[in-house]
Amino acid sequence: MSDALARARAHSPFLSGLIERWPDLVALIGEGDFDAALIAALTVQVEGDSVASLRKQRQGVALVTAIADLADAWDLAKVTRTLSDFADAACDAALSAAFAERAPGEAVRGLAVIALGKLGSHELNYSSDIDPILIFDPATLPRRERDDPNEAAVRIARRWVEILSQRTGDGHVLRVDLRLRPTPEVTPIVLSVDAAISYYESQAMAWEQAAFIRARASAGDMALGAYFLDTIQPFIWRRSMDFGQIKRIGDISQRIRSAYASGQAFGPGFDLKRGRGGIREVEFFAQVQQLIHGGRDSSLRVADTSDALMALAAAGHISDENAAMLSAHYATLRTIEHRLQMVDDQQTHSLPKDTAAMDGVARLHGLTDGAALLAMLGPVIDQVGTAFDSMVSADKQGVRWPHDHAESVATASAIGFADGTAAARRVAEWRSGQMRVLRSAAAQGALEDVLPALMTAIGAAHQPDSVLGKFDRLIGGMPSAINFFNLLSARPQLLTLLVAVLGHAPTLADTLAVRPELIEGLIDASVFNAMPSPQMLARAMAAGPVDDVAGNLERQLDHVRRVVGDYRFAYGVQLVEGAADPLTVALGLADLADAALESLAAATVRDFERAHGRIAGGELLILALGRLGGQALTHASDLDLILLFTGDLMATSDGPRALGTTTYFNRLGQRVIAALSVPTAAGRLYEVDTRLRPQGTQGPLVASFDAFARYQREDAWTWEHMALARARPVFGSAAARAKVQAVIDAVLATARDQAKLHADVVKMRGQIAAHKPPKGPLDVKLCDGGLVDAEFAIHAQQLRHNIAFDPCLDAALTELVAAGLAPAGSVEALHLLMRMLVTLRLMAPDGQYPQDAETRARIAHACVPGGDAGWTRLMRDHAAARACIKAWWASIRDGSW
């Protein structure tokens, strides 16, 4: 015992602290009486505070199990069972406390805790979350007289979670993760038992079936929990596994491997849980085969992973050698996982990257250093990975998409297609070789290899019939599909990503259909590269054909379009996958437009000068307004531009085909607009809106600098000065840019008639509301309290007080808040609305609520800082943001400046 205690003191700050705080337990441990020490830990009480008692008990259990584990006094099964038993007791005690607060004097009934994951199989980690599902019975749940049963259940559940997870100076009891419940983005944290049964009988996914192998009633109303689990047994254990279900289960295992193991080499930093050959692969090796065979053989319906391996071997589904090897390696991996978690009581599964930290973990385990630990784990990882590989490859070789039309229709319908006949017909067309890229024997062979996984992945998508059509368009545009199909077969993660893009981002799907070569960015993951700087973008644009020879301008236009298309697609994929903040994407899209405009305008000017020469002392200037001016574009944004020129109005150009100044710059301006907006072989670049120019569509396309300055000083409407607040020079010499910026600054700083300003602003907002109603409840631009209200409020305060004239709205608003001219919280509200606009323009452009849970989850993940916060939180935050902006705009509209 002394050696185990010494190692704990030396290499675990968490355990060292507990040793100092629990001398009585340490004394019992020192005598080797771990059972007595455990009883002492579990009976600690803080007078009058049952919740504090739970935290103290958790400390004691953590100390006893850790030293018993380090001293090899308890094996892995005893350690994990002890931790799981404490978790069950803590869940029960916390539920009793929550009931006592909401329904004093009532026994705990009508609410059950269903344990999934490692708690469900009594294999809880040393520092683990618990993954329960909470169910309640409205008929038996005690509640206050006026309480709605659903609300009462949610309140009790929330209090239960708070009791377990709240951290104090004594730590916490348990971390609770409720995301395994059905559609967690939209459902409450506790479900009625009938709703839960209905979901699992009709809508549940294959991964949920696998999760319920280890489900059990853990706490609360055990009879209710048993009733629920007994009722859904046919969902968990199916007597006949159809093709679609087997493939979905196989796809889960592939996704685990692809999501966490791809490219991860064994060594420091390796994830023992998710990496190739890790803990999860042992668990899935057992679970996949339990699901396939357990419907007909009840002896396989065991939760403990080692017991399941032995049961599979006894039934002849795996060899005795494989079962023994995997069981032993599972114990090794779990034991080292516990060592990692003992260091700081953190839920970590990865080996340290730091050498000293690795040495510390090794020595905590009783080894000499980190190298010895890696040497011990290396063969374990390799053998587990090999066993998992053999299962996956055997599955892939044993399943083919049916050739019989009726079977093909039935299979397509079973895996999610609404029109199974149409899906089967599409497969038959591919097999017939009607499509040029599928006429060779090699292409047909590659298609057959990937077809089951491909159709399964598409069938699991939102609107799979639509995704199938988009995939058909994609391969139809490819010069060859053989390597593409081989890649999809070898790398399931690519297929998963591709289906996500096709299913959740219509704009990106259309782009892929036109430019299938963009798939290369998905293959090599370059779409996830960090966003380039403006300087890098400029170099990329300049890398095209040198346009100093007549005729090369068209090739330059195509080159810039391809560069813009590449990056726009990459930014879109990052949004879909939640890999980038939408605000960063908005800035990236603006930088991209700036670089494209600079490159194409310069190339067009040079090409124009070959024919018409130059105007002495004159040049073209371009101002960006709106979202481009504010450096926050979306995938659907057009470019709001004002084109100006400098120089003598009476001059003539010096080229072969001389032109007067006004004609020269207006023709040049038309060429620049065409370069930005006319479709070429590489597609359309941007829609360009020039209606914000002086006198609008009644004025010339390109105005002189002096005319612009005079118009802004003398004739411009209030709305034009509001637009000017987001003006930003984006093309022209440094001197010319500074000159036009000085005019903008002077105009914006002009003192104004406050009554007229207020009347104009209110009138304009009213006109927009009357003529441009919101498209739907998620039109974050036009809804009350949306971005238009925010823009009007910001511009009204800018023009009234002559401050905060930054073209970037959030920077301007930050300055207004600091000056007391905007409410606290308005910057955060604006940021959320901007994030939602960027994301929704790509994934829900119609302004309506997405119908499928996955799209909602992706939108929420992108928009709510912190990641997987869920759709419910996003909608709550969205409502709060709109309320903030709406109230601010209303105060301005109603005269409370």
Side-chain angles (χ1 to χ4, degrees):
M1 294 326 118
S2 59
D3 179 60
L5 285 165
R7 282 186 277 134
R9 283 192 178 97
H11 304 295
S12 168
F14 172 67
L15 292 176
S16 178
L18 293 182
I19 289 169
E20 295 302 317
R21 297 171 72 175
W22 291 85
D24 293 341
L25 285 185
V26 172
L28 290 171
I29 290 169
E31 296 170 5
D33 197 346
F34 287 99
D35 291 339
L38 179 61
I39 292 170
L42 290 172
T43 53
V44 168
Q45 294 293 324
V46 176
E47 187 173 349
D49 192 338
S50 60
V51 176
S53 297
L54 286 176
R55 297 191 189 101
K56 287 284 190 181
Q57 290 166 16
R58 192 260 173 178
Q59 286 185 6
V61 170
L63 177 59
V64 174
T65 54
I67 305 303
D69 190 356
L70 291 171
D72 288 330
W74 291 354
D75 63 11
L76 176 67
K78 171 98 182 219
V79 169
T80 58
R81 183 68 187 231
T82 300
L83 295 170
S84 301
D85 288 347
F86 170 74
D88 286 348
C91 287
D92 235 338
L95 204 53
S96 295
F99 266 77
E101 293 176 10
R102 296 296 307 174
E106 294 282 357
V108 174
R109 68 180 191 278
L111 194 151
V113 178
I114 307 299
L116 301 180
K118 289 187 170 62
L119 178 57
S121 59
H122 295 286
E123 297 175 286
L124 200 62
N125 281 342
Y126 186 78
S127 298
S128 179
D129 286 357
I130 60 170
D131 301 294
I133 290 174
L134 305 180
I135 59 170
F136 78 101
D137 180 2
T140 60
L141 180 76
R143 63 184 189 277
R144 297 172 183 173
E145 184 175 341
R146 296 183 180 180
D147 276 358
D148 174 84
N150 293 279
E151 293 178 359
V154 168
R155 286 172 179 157
I156 292 171
R158 283 177 178 163
R159 179 58 180 145
W160 177 78
V161 172
E162 182 181 23
I163 289 170
L164 291 175
S165 58
Q166 186 176 37
R167 183 175 289 276
T168 69
D170 290 325
H172 63 285
V173 184
L174 294 166
R175 289 181 289 262
V176 181
D177 186 346
L178 294 171
R179 288 176 296 174
L180 291 186
R181 70 187 188 275
T183 54
E185 305 84 5
V186 295
T187 57
I189 62 174
V190 56
L191 298 175
S192 75
V193 64
D194 290 338
I197 289 170
S198 174
Y199 172 84
Y200 289 110
E201 287 181 339
S202 61
Q203 302 177 51
M205 307 286 286
W207 69 263
E208 292 172 298
Q209 183 188 3
F212 268 83
I213 289 177
R214 299 195 282 187
R216 65 181 176 88
S218 169
D221 190 333
M222 301 298 280
L224 174 64
Y227 163 75
F228 165 70
L229 290 173
D230 287 342
T231 305
I232 66 167
Q233 284 298 296
F235 154 69
I236 307 170
W237 303 111
R238 303 182 182 182
R239 289 195 60 80
S240 58
M241 294 293 294
D242 61 85
F243 160 83
Q245 187 68 4
I246 292 173
K247 287 307 297 176
R248 283 192 291 273
I249 293 168
D251 190 49
I252 296 171
S253 62
Q254 288 280 33
R255 288 186 187 208
I256 289 173
R257 166 65 64 83
S258 62
Y260 295 101
S262 179
Q264 188 189 64
F266 173 70
F270 182 80
D271 190 325
L272 293 178
K273 179 179 179 180
R274 303 176 182 91
R276 179 189 182 277
I279 293 166
R280 188 165 278 178
E281 292 197 354
V282 179
E283 294 169 346
F284 233 78
F285 184 95
Q287 290 168 6
V288 167
Q289 295 175 85
Q290 283 179 281
L291 288 174
I292 292 172
H293 305 294
R296 295 179 299 276
D297 184 354
S298 60
S299 71
L300 303 179
R301 302 175 190 178
V302 292
D304 179 273
T305 301
S306 293
D307 290 345
L309 290 167
M310 296 304 137
L312 287 165
H317 298 300
I318 63 175
S319 69
D320 291 337
E321 294 78 8
N322 249 359
M325 178 269 291
L326 288 171
S327 182
H329 288 348
Y330 185 68
T332 298
L333 292 168
R334 291 293 309 277
T335 298
I336 300 305
E337 181 187 49
H338 283 184
R339 301 293 180 264
L340 295 170
Q341 296 175 351
M342 287 175 186
V343 174
D344 286 311
D345 193 29
Q346 295 297 311
Q347 191 193 15
T348 181
H349 314 283
S350 297
L351 297 173
K353 295 181 180 179
D354 177 74
T355 301
M358 177 74 87
D359 289 343
V361 171
R363 289 165 185 155
L364 181 62
H365 185 61
L367 299 174
T368 55
D369 56 22
L373 178 60
L374 291 175
M376 182 188 80
L377 288 173
V380 171
I381 296 296
D382 184 63
Q383 290 174 31
V384 170
T386 300
F388 188 87
D389 288 340
S390 66
M391 180 188 72
V392 172
S393 61
D395 176 64
K396 290 174 73 174
Q397 292 168 5
V399 179
R400 286 285 185 255
W401 187 266
H403 279 267
D404 178 79
H405 177 69
E407 290 183 22
S408 182
V409 171
T411 302
S413 299
I415 63 174
F417 288 94
D419 190 343
T421 301
R425 187 184 308 119
R426 183 88 65 178
V427 171
E429 289 171 357
W430 291 344
R431 283 171 161 167
S432 72
Q434 294 180 28
M435 193 176 288
R436 178 182 54 80
V437 296
L438 294 174
R439 288 174 186 164
S440 70
Q444 285 292 316
L447 170 65
E448 291 298 333
D449 286 343
V450 76
L451 196 52
L454 170 66
M455 294 299 286
T456 300
I458 295 177
H462 172 56
Q463 297 183 334
D465 304 76
S466 172
V467 173
L468 184 62
K470 293 171 183 175
F471 184 84
D472 182 75
R473 288 178 60 203
L474 170 62
I475 59 175
M478 290 181 170
S480 172
I482 299 172
N483 289 336
F484 175 58
F485 285 145
N486 287 336
L487 278 164
L488 292 183
S489 183
R491 296 179 57 186
Q493 74 273 26
L494 173 60
L495 178 55
T496 302
L497 177 56
L498 177 60
V499 170
V501 169
L502 295 177
H504 299 287
T507 300
L508 303 186
D510 292 342
T511 302
L512 270 179
V514 175
R515 292 190 58 204
E517 70 272 14
L518 289 172
I519 200 77
E520 294 175 6
L522 300 180
I523 293 170
D524 63 13
S526 60
V527 293
F528 296 109
N529 290 347
M531 294 185 184
S533 66
Q535 294 77 20
M536 292 172 63
L537 286 171
R539 288 195 293 271
M541 305 282 183
V546 178
D547 64 342
D548 57 357
V549 178
N552 275 359
L553 179 60
E554 289 301 319
R555 292 203 296 274
Q556 182 71 14
L557 298 185
D558 282 346
H559 170 72
V560 171
R561 277 163 169 73
R562 280 190 290 270
V563 173
V564 171
D566 290 350
Y567 281 113
R568 281 168 60 90
F569 180 75
Y571 297 167
V573 172
Q574 291 186 32
L575 276 178
V576 171
E577 288 296 290
D581 187 329
L583 297 181
T584 305
V585 171
L587 176 59
L589 289 169
D591 286 344
L592 190 60
D594 281 355
L597 193 154
E598 176 78 31
S599 176
L600 292 182
T604 304
V605 167
R606 290 193 294 271
D607 184 73
F608 192 80
E609 288 175 348
R610 294 188 190 103
H612 302 290
R614 300 180 180 181
I615 298 288
E619 66 174 294
L620 182 70
L621 273 167
I622 302 178
L623 286 178
L625 297 92
R627 297 208 156 274
L628 180 59
Q631 294 181 283
L633 290 184
T634 74
H635 275 79
S637 294
D638 55 14
L639 306 185
D640 293 311
L641 303 178
I642 292 177
L643 281 67
L644 307 173
F645 68 88
T646 62
D648 185 352
L649 293 177
M650 305 306 294
T652 301
S653 66
D654 58 7
R657 287 179 284 169
L659 296 171
T661 300
T662 299
T663 302
Y664 179 98
F665 282 109
N666 272 274
R667 288 189 185 178
L668 174 58
Q670 290 170 352
R671 298 274 187 91
V672 170
I673 299 301
L676 290 167
S677 59
V678 172
T680 72
R684 181 183 295 277
L685 196 57
Y686 295 105
E687 296 285 351
V688 177
D689 189 342
T690 61
R691 290 175 297 176
L692 292 175
R693 65 185 186 267
Q695 300 176 345
T697 56
Q698 303 303 311
L701 176 65
V702 188
S704 73
F705 173 85
D706 291 337
F708 169 78
R710 184 169 56 254
Y711 178 82
Q712 293 294 341
R713 287 194 302 265
E714 300 173 5
D715 300 319
W717 296 67
T718 299
W719 68 266
E720 291 176 292
H721 285 176
M722 291 172 66
L724 204 64
R726 279 199 280 175
R728 182 171 59 90
V730 291
F731 183 78
S733 67
R737 294 189 194 202
K739 186 177 179 182
V740 74
Q741 187 64 57
V743 169
I744 293 169
D745 293 344
V747 169
L748 293 176
T750 302
R752 302 170 194 280
D753 182 322
Q754 298 294 303
K756 182 178 184 303
L757 173 63
H758 181 264
D760 287 349
V761 169
V762 172
K763 179 181 179 183
M764 285 183 290
R765 181 64 186 100
Q767 290 173 337
I768 291 175
H771 293 97
K772 294 186 70 176
K775 292 189 292 185
L778 287 185
D779 188 337
V780 296
K781 181 177 178 181
L782 293 170
C783 280
D784 287 346
L787 284 167
V788 171
D789 280 351
E791 292 165 7
F792 267 75
I794 291 168
H795 295 326
Q797 294 293 66
Q798 287 173 318
L799 295 178
R800 180 184 180 223
H801 297 280
N802 300 119
I803 65 166
F805 289 115
D806 191 304
C808 296
L809 282 179
D810 53 347
L813 182 54
T814 299
E815 191 173 340
L816 290 174
V817 170
L821 299 174
S826 56
V827 175
E828 291 76 12
L830 178 68
H831 280 165
L832 179 64
L833 295 174
M834 290 171 67
R835 283 188 174 97
M836 291 183 70
L837 181 74
V838 174
T839 306
L840 293 169
R841 284 287 191 265
L842 192 67
M843 288 194 268
D846 60 359
Q848 303 298 322
Y849 293 121
Q851 296 302 304
D852 69 300
E854 185 180 351
T855 299
R856 290 185 175 199
R858 288 177 182 273
I859 292 170
H861 180 77
C863 293
V864 181
D868 300 310
W871 181 260
T872 302
R873 176 184 165 187
L874 176 61
M875 291 299 95
R876 184 184 69 236
D877 291 355
H878 173 224
R882 285 181 54 194
C884 174
I885 298 299
K886 183 178 180 180
W888 183 31
W889 164 244
S891 71
I892 292 173
R893 180 196 62 208
D894 298 339
S896 302
W897 289 65

